[in-house]
Amino acid sequence: GIQVEQSPPDLILQEGANSTLRCNFSDSVNNLQWFHQNPWGQLINLFYIPSGTKQNGRLSATTVATERYSLLYISSSQTTDSGVYFCAVEGFSGGYNKLIFGAGTRLAVHP
Amino acid sequence: ETGVTQSPTHLIKTRGQQVTLRCSSQSGHNTVSWYQQALGQGPQFIFQYYREEENGRGNFPPRFSGLQFPNYSSELNVNALELDDSALYLCASSTGQAYNSPLHFGNGTRLTVT
């Protein structure tokens, strides 16, 4: 089945810094989503971005489906950005299409 | 607009017992999917329900089963609990298939099996 790899696995930033998170996938995909899981465990949908570029405030994402990667940009990071960022792509296995998550990038933003 | 709500928030069970977790979908969403998230890992797809029928399943044994009700709320049932079932269980709702529609997650139920 499709493999989803995220990098870096861990990231520590000072408040105000910028960062780029990467998601590579092993096969072509029709759909890709980015999520933020806060320290209390809730998963928040950041972007539904099968291709192209989207921006939402300090966050933006770009997916280049033909090259099998997506990038999440965080600018002027804040302590509330801390948590785990997951990339998830559509994959097919066991007779069904399903959303397959990467292992995540753990981000800690210090004041 | 009401978001996705899950209950209970925490649960402790003994190996061999059965457990039922509950989820209320976000208003206007007709598809619900369930995920298991072990500590330090990404969520793993368990199954999806649409119009009260299972129409997608991950690599989980039959002792993981579910229901969706006419109001689109859902249950996840796990029989014969094993220690490895300890995890955060997440419910998500969407207006279309879970793999090609934006997902909206609940806060999860943390299950501990002793």
Side-chain angles (χ1 to χ4, degrees):
Chain A
I2 192 169
Q3 302 296 314
V4 182
E5 293 185 359
Q6 292 187 243
S7 60
D10 296 281
L11 187 58
I12 299 175
L13 298 175
Q14 286 296 124
E15 201 167 25
N18 302 328
S19 64
T20 300
L21 282 57
R22 187 177 182 98
C23 172
N24 291 334
F25 36 94
S26 59
D27 204 348
S28 59
V29 298
N30 295 319
N31 298 287
L32 185 144
Q33 302 186 41
W34 282 97
F35 297 89
H36 173 223
Q37 188 166 40
N38 65 25
W40 297 272
Q42 186 174 18
L43 271 167
I44 305 296
N45 192 305
L46 298 176
F47 294 102
Y48 175 77
I49 185 167
S51 64
T53 297
K54 290 186 177 180
Q55 181 157 6
N56 185 0
R58 296 181 296 102
L59 302 181
S60 64
T62 295
T63 297
V64 185
T66 54
E67 297 188 21
R68 303 179 185 175
Y69 73 88
S70 182
L71 302 174
L72 178 69
Y73 305 96
I74 304 174
S75 63
S76 304
S77 58
Q78 301 176 358
T79 55
T80 52
D81 295 331
S82 297
V84 184
Y85 290 81
F86 290 104
C87 159
V89 305
E90 176 187 353
F92 183 84
S93 68
Y96 297 105
N97 285 59
K98 58 195 67 171
L99 205 59
I100 298 170
F101 285 75
T105 290
R106 285 156 185 77
L107 173 64
V109 181
H110 296 311
Chain B
E1 183 178 84
T2 305
V4 180
T5 58
Q6 292 187 242
S7 62
T9 55
H10 295 84
L11 201 54
I12 300 175
K13 289 287 189 177
T14 303
R15 190 172 49 185
Q17 286 187 316
Q18 179 266 344
V19 68
T20 296
L21 311 182
R22 295 179 173 80
C23 171
S24 293
S25 300
Q26 182 165 321
S27 177
H29 289 189
N30 55 15
T31 303
V32 65
S33 50
W34 286 90
Y35 300 80
Q36 180 195 66
Q37 186 178 19
L39 201 60
Q41 299 182 21
Q44 300 287 319
F45 174 73
I46 303 175
F47 45 55
Q48 170 182 286
Y49 277 81
Y50 173 70
R51 291 188 175 181
E52 303 176 49
E53 291 196 4
E54 183 182 296
N55 72 343
R57 191 174 183 92
N59 189 26
F60 281 82
R63 59 189 186 84
F64 285 78
S65 63
L67 286 172
Q68 187 183 29
F69 300 99
N71 66 354
Y72 304 130
S73 65
S74 176
E75 288 182 354
L76 164 64
N77 299 291
V78 187
N79 294 323
L81 284 167
E82 301 177 359
L83 297 179
D84 286 348
D85 295 334
S86 295
L88 179 67
Y89 288 85
L90 294 160
C91 166
S93 70
S94 55
T95 56
Q97 302 287 346
Y99 56 83
N100 67 3
S101 305
L103 291 186
H104 299 267
F105 282 88
N107 289 340
T109 294
R110 189 164 298 281
L111 172 65
T112 302
V113 182
T114 62

